[in-house]
Amino acid sequence: MKISYNWLKQYIDLQLSSQELEKKMTFAGIEVEAVEKLGEELEQIKIAEIIEHKAHPESDHLSICRVNDGNETVQVICGAPNCAAGQKIAFAPVGSQLGEFKIKKAKLRGVESFGMICSEKELGISDNHDGIMVLPENAPIGKSLASYLKTDDVCFDVEITPNRPDLLGILGVARDLSAILNLPLKHPNIAISESEEPIENHLALENIAPKLCTRYTARMIKGVTVKESPDWLKQRLISVGLRPINNVVDVTNFVMMEYGHPLHAFDYHLIEDKKIIVRTAGKNEQFPALDEETYTLQESDLVIADNHKAIALAGIIGGENSLITDSTKDIVIEAANFLYSSIRKSAGKLKIATDSSYRFERDISDETAELASRRAVHLILETAGGKLMKGKLDSYPNPIGERIVAIRPSRVKLLLTIDLTKKQIKNYLTALGLELKKEEADKISFSIPAYRKDLVREIDLIEEVIRLHGYNNVETFLKTQNVMNRETFYARRKVADILVNRGFSEVKNWNFAAPEDLDKLKIAVNDERRNNAILKNPLGNRFSIMRPLLLPHLLSNALFNLNHGQKDLKIFEMSKVFFRKDEKLATEKLHAAGLLIGKLNPTYWKEKNSEIDFYDVKGIIESILENLNLIKYKIEKNSEPYFQPGLGADIFYRNQKIAVLGKIDPKVLERFDIEENVYSFDLDLDAVFKLCPFADPVFSEIPKFPPVLRDLSFIISKEHSYTEIVKAITLVNPGIIKKVELFDEFTGKNIKDGFRSLTFSLVFSSDTKTLTDEIINKNLQNVIEKLNKDFCIEMR
């Protein structure tokens, strides 16, 4: 449901900003799902005056206007037939944005135009596109149209829980807020004057389905003038997302949004035999609805009918055979209530969802029907004129009596653990419209208003007390316990999931290791990983230190699997490594290391399988980093002694080493009795998680303008890394060079020693316009010049 901030202020004197009001509603149990600022586009539109108007020499329908917007006088070409000198108009200057259309300087039939004179349809005010929007003579030149029309507003899209149908109208929300903010509630003015002519002389009512229609009222007005609604009424409906139709229909929609009780208006002369019958539908009865669809009804559906046909599907949608038109003179106003389960069943079966069915499905109050009916009559007489027939037709077979619910202050204290006086409890509940009936020593009795069907027990009243008092005002006796870091917990799980999805199996090993493992890996004597955490009473030399690396155990796991015939292997371990920085406790760091042997993927008859190589391992690490939103990392030459020269790499992010990867030197593998090619990686997860931007994902719109792809092939020295080249290309124009990918590398014949041929795919895209060939070619040339300057490339 949508709530207009300006409309809400008609009932309570709000001094809160829209952001503060959003918080207040949320704490009051009215969940705000979205906030939309209205009138932003109209802030760009200025009130201006046409000071000169003449025909366009090269057109029979265009005219040349000189327009003064308070700051300057500009020339504008206009094609509207009602354009004339001296008019106050809505002017969109150059640079204004109307939807996806941006106003630019243009030339029409050889004459320049600097802006646009707008129609109501172009401004989104109405569907009127017959001509430009002409404003009253007293409209102030230079003022924004939003301020003049008072369309600057904030619309809250809220979710109302099913047990609170009283909040389905803006007045109900205002009532709740008035109680929370301790502000007086201003009720709408209702004053109706009846004629001496009884309604019974013109119309009859028969309710033959009282179980399904719990109340039905009808009032009749003769001699109305159906026309366009006044601006204030149209603006109210637009602010909550409803389309203005005419003054009579708009009033029924306005009152529905105000009171949360749907209404319907019939053309009196389309009701045959002048009798309204509330009945169930006949089997396969045909009903032509206002949405221009004809529905086949069944005997479980409730309809409003005359003696010959159904004129409305009760509580859901009106009929095309009784709608209000410009020629309508006499109308019948229906205000009723129906069994909520019946409405829900019919609407669901027929797949019809309307504002009316949304409210009736939530079991609204019978009593509100009378109040909504009187309010609608008041507004129709004010906006459409006419004469109200005396009295009303009212079928109310089972009126609901007074409901009394008591609350005990002692029980309030016991359940809420707060001390509230009787006066505070009474103030809270009477502010919601409950009427104090009786006060005893430890018992206060209240009469429950009809619109609060959810208040039936003492606990319901206690819930209202704490809601108004504020859950956040209850003292807490428990301190927050930080049992774990949830962000790193889920990040660890994500890393493990990525590896498992890539075909890895997880292994678990002891955290104890042998010092000789570091010798086998050729770890330098002065390496910090030699500062081992030594056990005082080890089980043996193989378990004498806390392991500073995960790789030795992974190699032992690999040997075991190879000896048992498992030639294709992908395993990883996520665990801590240990080393000393001083004589105190060892430093612990979380690492994830992996090892790969043999084929990349399981054998599959349709595809040729390949051996694992360096780029497969690099791709796995890149996939992990990108999933953790670490994008701009650098890949540099290897610093680890156990990798084969030229086939290892270190990965840095913000100048901090976070991973190593590569092919293990065969000489190192000999020391572990392994003859196969082995690739490995080691990821410093502690460092990675510290650098991770743990934040909620931000939605990015799909680009409105098409991307353009270009390929670039050149010869470059091998001393320049891939990262350097991509960075140089991107920096030429980061605004439109969205992606740079290497898809081919060639060395060999016709390529000099120490050089290689690279081919990159470049994706150009703009968020604001379609890129032309001229723009693409210019940027591509700039890329070539940049590469030539920085790396002395040779184009192919």
Side-chain angles (χ1 to χ4, degrees), residues 350-524:
L350 298 170
K351 297 180 181 178
I352 308 173
T354 62
D355 287 317
S356 177
S357 65
Y358 173 78
R359 285 163 173 80
F360 282 122
E361 286 173 5
R362 281 158 175 76
D363 195 18
I364 58 179
S365 166
D366 293 335
E367 280 72 13
T368 316
E370 169 63 10
L371 194 59
S373 175
R374 291 175 59 82
R375 175 66 167 158
V377 167
H378 167 83
L379 291 174
I380 289 173
L381 292 174
E382 182 182 295
T383 59
K387 182 173 67 172
L388 175 63
M389 298 297 99
K390 184 178 181 179
K392 67 178 184 291
L393 303 179
D394 190 353
S395 172
Y396 196 5
N398 299 300
I400 297 173
E402 185 179 36
R403 289 183 294 130
I404 304 293
V405 179
I407 183 171
R408 291 167 291 169
S410 60
R411 187 69 175 164
V412 172
K413 182 177 180 180
L414 179 66
L415 291 180
L416 303 183
T417 68
I418 55 177
D419 282 315
L420 292 177
T421 65
K422 279 187 177 182
K423 184 178 179 181
Q424 286 177 296
I425 295 172
K426 288 187 291 184
N427 288 343
Y428 283 142
L429 295 178
T430 54
L432 291 171
L434 280 68
E435 182 184 350
L436 178 62
K437 280 295 186 180
K438 189 177 181 181
E439 185 175 348
E440 301 174 47
D442 188 32
K443 187 177 181 182
I444 311 171
S445 299
F446 292 91
S447 174
I448 309 300
Y451 52 78
R452 289 304 302 268
K453 290 189 173 184
D454 59 312
L455 303 181
V456 295
R457 301 173 299 163
E458 180 185 34
I459 193 64
D460 298 327
L461 300 190
I462 295 174
E463 184 181 3
E464 292 300 290
V465 168
I466 187 58
R467 189 171 65 86
L468 295 184
H469 182 73
Y471 294 100
N472 52 322
N473 293 323
V474 178
E475 184 181 355
T476 179
F477 300 101
L478 297 174
K479 293 184 178 180
T480 304
Q481 302 294 319
N482 294 318
V483 177
M484 67 175 187
N485 186 321
R486 295 178 64 86
E487 292 174 334
T488 57
F489 173 82
Y490 287 111
R492 287 178 61 176
R493 180 180 289 181
K494 181 183 283 189
V495 172
D497 287 345
I498 292 170
L499 291 171
V500 170
N501 290 337
R502 291 273 189 152
F504 281 79
S505 298
E506 185 173 8
V507 299
K508 289 290 183 183
N509 293 293
W510 293 105
N511 280 327
F512 311 123
E516 291 78 14
D517 290 339
L518 302 180
D519 297 330
K520 291 180 182 179
L521 293 176
K522 300 193 291 189
I523 301 297

Side-chain angles (χ1 to χ4, degrees), residues 112-397:
E112 288 186 320
S113 180
F114 300 87
M116 184 173 80
I117 303 174
C118 305
S119 69
E120 290 188 8
K121 184 174 183 179
E122 288 161 339
L123 296 172
I125 294 174
S126 74
D127 292 332
N128 184 2
H129 198 52
D130 295 336
I132 60 171
M133 182 181 185
V134 180
L135 301 170
E137 291 183 4
N138 61 355
I141 296 173
K143 190 172 185 178
S144 77
L145 191 62
S147 298
Y148 178 71
L149 297 178
K150 298 180 180 178
T151 59
D152 44 340
D153 196 358
V154 177
C155 180
F156 301 97
D157 198 342
V158 301
E159 178 63 32
I160 305 299
T161 54
N163 67 317
R164 291 298 306 274
D166 58 298
L167 297 178
L168 294 173
I170 294 176
L171 187 57
V173 175
R175 184 191 299 113
D176 240 43
L177 289 173
S178 74
I180 292 165
L181 302 173
N182 196 24
L183 294 171
L185 179 65
K186 293 177 279 188
H187 289 276
N189 178 43
I190 301 177
I192 59 175
S193 178
E194 297 179 336
S195 68
E196 294 300 320
E197 200 171 349
I199 188 174
E200 289 83 0
N201 292 351
H202 302 276
L203 190 66
L205 170 64
E206 183 181 6
N207 182 2
I208 58 177
K211 289 184 179 180
L212 300 181
C213 177
T214 54
R215 189 172 191 184
Y216 192 97
T217 70
R219 281 185 165 90
M220 180 178 172
I221 304 175
K222 296 182 71 175
V224 298
T225 302
V226 179
K227 57 184 179 181
E228 187 177 351
S229 294
D231 289 340
W232 70 266
L233 180 53
K234 290 193 293 184
Q235 191 53 50
R236 284 284 179 258
L237 296 179
I238 291 170
S239 70
V240 292
L242 296 180
R243 180 175 62 89
I245 298 171
N246 58 53
N247 52 354
V248 173
V249 175
D250 291 351
V251 163
T252 62
N253 286 333
F254 175 88
V255 174
M256 175 186 68
M257 295 305 300
E258 184 177 47
Y259 281 90
H261 198 110
L263 303 166
H264 192 66
F266 299 102
D267 186 326
Y268 170 72
H269 294 287
L270 297 177
I271 301 174
E272 297 185 50
D273 297 338
K274 311 312 174 195
K275 183 177 182 180
I276 291 177
I277 303 171
V278 184
R279 61 172 174 82
T280 53
K283 188 175 182 180
N284 297 327
E285 181 175 353
Q286 299 299 298
F287 171 65
L290 285 174
D291 60 1
E292 299 181 354
E293 295 283 342
T294 298
Y295 295 96
T296 301
L297 307 181
Q298 300 302 324
E299 294 165 334
S300 59
D301 300 318
L302 186 68
V303 297
I304 312 303
D306 56 26
N307 277 329
H308 300 277
K309 62 185 182 300
I311 56 176
L313 182 55
I316 300 174
I317 193 170
E320 197 176 27
N321 52 17
S322 59
L323 81 163
I324 305 297
T325 65
D326 292 346
S327 61
T328 298
K329 294 300 178 188
D330 303 331
I331 62 171
V332 176
I333 303 297
E334 167 196 285
N337 197 19
F338 309 100
L339 183 65
Y340 66 94
S341 56
S342 170
I343 301 300
R344 185 181 300 136
K345 181 178 180 181
S346 293
K349 179 183 64 179
L350 298 170
K351 297 180 181 178
I352 308 173
T354 62
D355 287 317
S356 177
S357 65
Y358 173 78
R359 285 163 173 80
F360 282 122
E361 286 173 5
R362 281 158 175 76
D363 195 18
I364 58 179
S365 166
D366 293 335
E367 280 72 13
T368 316
E370 169 63 10
L371 194 59
S373 175
R374 291 175 59 82
R375 175 66 167 158
V377 167
H378 167 83
L379 291 174
I380 289 173
L381 292 174
E382 182 182 295
T383 59
K387 182 173 67 172
L388 175 63
M389 298 297 99
K390 184 178 181 179
K392 67 178 184 291
L393 303 179
D394 190 353
S395 172
Y396 196 5

